[in-house]
Amino acid sequence: MRTQIKDILVIPMTSEGLHFIGDIYIRDGIIEAVGSGIKAPGPVDEVVNGQGKVVIPGLVNAHTHLSMTLMRNYKDTCANLQDWLSEIFPIEDRLTEEDIYWGSMTGLAELVRSGCTSFADMYFKQWMTAQACKEAGVRGFLSLTLFGDEAETEDRLAIERLDEAIKGVDILRKDIAVHSIYTCTAGSYRLAAEWAKEHGSIVNTHLSETKKEMDDCLAQHGCLPAQWLEDTGFFDVPCYTAHGVWLQDSELDILRRHDVAVVHNPSSNCKLASGIAPVRHFMDSGLTIALGTDGASSNNNLSMLKEMRLVAMISTVSTLRVDALTPYKVLEMATLNGAKALRADDKIGTIEPGKDADLAILDMDRVNTCPVNDIFSALVFSLNEGNVSSVYVKGRKLMEDGQLLTINEAEVIRETRRCWKRLCEE
Ligand SMILES: [Zn+2]
């Protein structure tokens, strides 16, 4: 099966500022050719007219907790992360497999509608999220998540169940997460690193999200969080971390030494009053900085478009430099850098031959993107979910002309409401 996307403005994200009107040929889910005035590599089965539209690599949400859509707008008045978690953890303990499935499906619908084709998930009962991903066709990097000490965490892992759920599905991958240094022990971090080595997985964790986390680590262990993690051996396997708001310069050196990426979550950091991550400084320090939404309960949505706009705004106002983060750099955080953080840039993150056809086609023929004077600026500052027209993951069409093809939205909304009602009444 060969598809041609014709006469479209291509943003390949392979070189700063590069964009051109051309064609993309997709064969059996893989990008076969892309360029201006290129010939078809062979017979074409389907032609998609791209006139007036823009195609970007599918956005990569490099840190979220998908099923937390269930807790969207719940307990929004908590003073900080710790108070909020004390409200959230008791509900999470009661989540059933069905809750995880419908919470995930709601999240997947929201991801696709905002042009996102990949997400990295840290949560429990991941085999149910895997099931939802298989049906919806969205690419998932699903982390089995350790919580508490080694004994506490054993029954949450169920590696076999996730292995079974992702078997033969090449858009799903099993990773291993440890929740945080304030909820888990050094033993849990060591266990995660051992399992990752054994299973060829990569690891991730929340790191330096709040000042309290940093201060408590200094008080209890006499060192900064990244130093403490390095001492556990957690960074000896491929790793990425979420947040990093309070990382100090000595910690940036540690992360760079181990090639640990940081996933920035601007909405969550604002909403939970965690602070402002100095993203420009992190980049200048040589770190890979990706972008994520965090869970819908601390955001309160899952739109990477909103994250892109927010990180651009925050970087400008916090540095008093308009050029602190150019629109191209912001889009790079949401595409190629996400792929790099997840060690998946051999497959996704750019539009170039040999990569999987994970694409978002945007309709710019709307009032909020009229006129387009600078395409990168328009994508970061003016775009909204209404511009997202069609979405592909490995060549499979998940949305066409604004209609979801693999998810029954009405059913998802109905079932998610039912699950949440039951959780509230229990
Ligand atoms: Zn998180």
Side-chain angles (χ1 to χ4, degrees):
M1 169 79 178
R2 178 177 284 121
T3 299
Q4 176 189 15
I5 304 175
K6 200 173 177 333
D7 299 330
I8 196 162
L9 180 62
V10 182
I11 312 278
M13 297 309 291
T14 51
S15 170
E16 180 135 15
L18 180 64
H19 61 289
F20 54 86
I21 292 179
D23 298 344
I24 299 174
Y25 290 93
I26 302 166
R27 190 176 188 195
D28 299 332
I30 309 294
I31 297 169
E32 194 179 15
V34 55
S36 240
I38 53 171
K39 282 187 176 172
V44 172
D45 303 291
E46 181 195 24
V47 178
V48 176
N49 179 11
Q51 276 187 346
K53 296 195 169 75
V54 175
V55 61
I56 59 172
L59 300 175
V60 180
N61 184 347
H63 176 71
T64 188
H65 314 275
L66 205 62
S67 313
M68 291 183 88
T69 48
L70 287 161
M71 288 159 266
R72 201 194 301 266
N73 307 319
Y74 178 71
K75 300 289 180 184
D76 268 1
T77 52
C78 290
N80 53 45
L81 174 70
Q82 300 304 330
D83 287 358
W84 177 74
L85 286 174
S86 69
E87 298 281 357
I88 295 292
F89 285 157
I91 293 181
E92 290 188 324
D93 287 341
R94 292 189 282 119
L95 294 178
T96 65
E97 291 192 352
E98 188 190 34
D99 297 330
I100 300 286
Y101 173 82
W102 288 114
S104 296
M105 210 44 124
T106 301
L108 292 174
E110 198 177 353
L111 293 184
V112 175
R113 283 213 164 279
S114 50
C116 180
T117 52
S118 302
F119 71 104
D121 200 52
M122 179 199 281
Y123 218 57
F124 314 116
K125 299 185 173 73
Q126 285 285 14
W127 49 92
M128 298 309 296
T129 301
Q131 181 61 36
C133 286
K134 277 194 280 189
E135 293 169 23
V138 179
R139 188 182 298 272
F141 300 87
L142 309 176
S143 288
L144 292 161
T145 302
L146 280 71
F147 197 91
D149 61 21
E150 300 94 303
E152 230 179 309
T153 205
E154 287 285 354
D155 64 335
R156 286 183 186 266
L157 286 169
I159 287 179
E160 307 74 27
R161 293 199 67 179
L162 184 55
D163 277 341
E164 186 61 31
I166 67 172
K167 201 171 172 182
V169 186
D170 60 4
I171 58 166
L172 297 179
R173 192 180 78 190
K174 174 186 70 185
D175 294 340
I176 295 174
V178 187
H179 181 268
S180 63
I181 67 167
Y182 55 88
T183 54
C184 298
T185 59
S188 291
Y189 278 99
R190 278 193 288 272
L191 191 62
E194 281 165 24
W195 276 338
K197 276 180 199 159
E198 191 183 323
H199 292 268
S201 299
I202 74 169
V203 296
N204 63 94
T205 189
H206 292 122
L207 175 64
S208 266
E209 183 172 355
T210 63
K211 185 168 186 301
K212 178 174 167 48
E213 177 184 335
M214 180 180 73
D215 290 344
D216 287 354
C217 188
L218 280 168
Q220 287 166 25
H221 306 298
C223 62
L224 290 162
Q227 179 66 63
W228 186 80
L229 277 186
E230 185 185 39
D231 292 345
T232 68
F234 192 64
F235 295 151
D236 293 344
V237 287
C239 178
Y240 64 92
T241 58
H243 298 293
V245 178
W246 291 89
L247 287 170
Q248 304 299 301
D249 283 353
S250 63
E251 296 178 287
L252 302 184
D253 292 338
I254 293 170
L255 298 186
R256 192 174 49 249
R257 209 162 52 234
H258 294 277
D259 192 22
V260 176
V262 176
V263 183
H264 179 43
N265 301 266
S267 292
S268 175
N269 297 157
C270 286
K271 185 162 182 293
L272 293 171
S274 301
I276 296 172
V279 172
R280 180 74 244 182
H281 178 57
F282 290 172
M283 285 181 177
D284 291 342
S285 303
L287 296 179
T288 298
I289 309 299
L291 200 59
T293 60
D294 214 355
S297 53
S298 63
N299 186 304
N300 291 351
N301 57 58
L302 298 176
S303 170
M304 287 290 286
L305 304 180
K306 291 187 172 71
E307 296 305 310
M308 287 200 296
R309 181 180 156 87
L310 184 59
V311 69
M313 293 291 192
I314 290 178
S315 296
T316 298
V317 76
S318 63
T319 59
L320 300 181
R321 278 178 52 190
V322 172
D323 63 347
L325 215 51
T326 63
Y328 184 87
K329 284 285 171 204
V330 172
L331 190 59
E332 192 175 53
M333 288 173 75
T335 53
L336 181 58
N337 287 6
K340 282 181 177 172
L342 302 174
R343 270 66 170 185
D345 52 315
D346 58 329
K347 285 190 172 175
I348 59 170
T350 57
I351 302 175
E352 54 187 322
K355 288 205 177 180
D356 289 3
D358 285 22
L359 307 169
I361 294 179
L362 312 166
D363 179 3
M364 307 304 275
D365 199 13
R366 297 197 164 234
V367 286
N368 60 298
T369 44
C370 176
V372 174
N373 286 310
D374 178 309
I375 185 60
F376 292 100
S377 203
L379 294 176
V380 169
F381 291 111
S382 303
L383 208 69
N384 64 38
E385 292 71 29
N387 294 97
V388 181
S389 175
S390 299
V391 172
Y392 295 78
V393 171
K394 203 166 186 188
R396 182 181 177 192
K397 207 180 285 178
L398 310 187
M399 186 160 96
E400 185 173 33
D401 297 331
Q403 298 298 313
L404 293 179
L405 304 180
T406 58
I407 301 173
N408 180 335
E409 263 180 306
E411 181 188 30
V412 169
I413 290 167
R414 186 179 66 241
E415 294 301 320
T416 301
R417 281 183 178 149
R418 181 178 61 75
C419 290
W420 180 244
K421 186 165 182 283
R422 193 204 74 247
L423 280 161
C424 291
E425 289 169 356
E426 275 175 3

